[in-house]
Amino acid sequence: MALVALASLVLGMGLPVTAAYIVLATLAAPAITLLIQDAELVRLLAAGTVSDTARSVFMLIDPSATFDAPMTTDAARMLLAQVPSEMRPLLSESMVSPALAVSTLLSAHLIIFWLSQDSNVTPPVALAAFAAATVAGSRPMATGFTSWKLAKGLYLVPLLFAYTNIVGGSAVEITWITTLSALAFLALAGALEGWLEGKLSLTWRGIAAMAGLAALPIWGLWQISLAGAGLTLILLWRNRLSRFLSPKTS
């Protein structure tokens, strides 16, 4: 993910966003798809859900392997690592459902699409920010740095595509992930800007940053995300109440 983000940034400085996306879709999408599918294969192996075709492949690699009982995640990862790259597509076809395969491919391209947008607002070549500065009559480079700071959600949305079921999940899952993500982005924007329904001190900005990071539903533990979302709501309520109770000045 970090390498794709860096490549999209560098390519986007010299190429239009569409061209940068095409280059990355050709070079990086297959690798991202393979990584996401490997994570699903590890999960299925650990759960003991192995098709007959996959069982035959693994027996060729490790004749002593047994699949009658669930195995640890580390053991499943080590077993999968022994499979040659030429046999990985056979495993994916036999174990990964077609719906999941399609959502995996879509997630990979959405990751690249989102990351390729960052070059529009990243100085020193920030075409969209410079165009906006012309319209607003503001300083181009200052506008570019402000847009770069506030557009950091571009780096977080691809994590949702990679580590959550926001693509291909049920309606309940998508609603849950979207709600938590919106609160996380709100808290992180407040931490960056120093304003969340009211001015934030340096200490409260740090708290808002921690709340936003915790609220992101990428950690695999809903308790962490729920705690971060709750802390974000408390910050909103506190700052709005403080503005309401503070004396009005003319």
Side-chain angles (χ1 to χ4, degrees), residues 190-214:
L192 287 172
E193 194 66 14
W195 181 274
L196 189 65
E197 294 294 334
K199 188 175 181 180
L200 294 177
S201 64
L202 189 60
T203 301
W204 284 107
R205 289 177 73 171
I207 294 174
M210 290 188 293
L213 290 175

Side-chain angles (χ1 to χ4, degrees), residues 164-189:
T164 70
N165 290 329
I166 196 170
V167 177
S170 64
V172 175
E173 286 180 314
I174 294 174
T175 303
W176 171 254
I177 294 170
T178 303
T179 303
L180 289 177
S181 302
L183 290 173
F185 294 155
L186 183 63
L188 291 172

Side-chain angles (χ1 to χ4, degrees), residues 36-192:
I36 299 176
Q37 290 187 357
D38 280 357
E40 178 64 15
L41 291 174
V42 168
R43 187 188 68 82
L44 294 174
L45 279 173
T49 308
V50 183
S51 65
D52 292 337
T53 302
R55 193 184 298 262
S56 301
V57 172
F58 287 121
M59 292 299 292
L60 289 173
I61 303 301
D62 186 1
S64 63
T66 57
F67 305 97
D68 298 329
M71 63 179 69
T72 63
T73 302
D74 291 336
R77 190 175 291 113
M78 290 177 61
L79 182 60
L80 184 62
Q82 300 178 42
V83 179
S85 58
E86 297 82 2
M87 305 181 78
R88 292 291 182 90
L90 183 60
L91 286 180
S92 299
E93 291 175 5
S94 62
M95 293 182 62
V96 178
S97 65
L100 182 59
V102 171
S103 65
T104 298
L105 184 61
L106 181 59
S107 296
H109 282 271
L110 285 173
I111 289 170
I112 295 170
F113 174 79
W114 273 88
L115 290 175
S116 64
Q117 308 304 309
D118 190 55
S119 61
N120 279 324
V121 293
T122 303
V125 182
L127 297 180
F130 293 166
T134 302
V135 174
S138 58
R139 291 180 297 166
M141 196 57 69
T143 304
F145 278 109
T146 301
S147 63
W148 174 82
K149 180 177 69 174
L150 295 180
K152 290 307 99 184
L154 282 171
Y155 290 116
L156 299 177
V157 173
L159 297 179
L160 300 178
F161 295 137
Y163 296 105
T164 70
N165 290 329
I166 196 170
V167 177
S170 64
V172 175
E173 286 180 314
I174 294 174
T175 303
W176 171 254
I177 294 170
T178 303
T179 303
L180 289 177
S181 302
L183 290 173
F185 294 155
L186 183 63
L188 291 172
L192 287 172

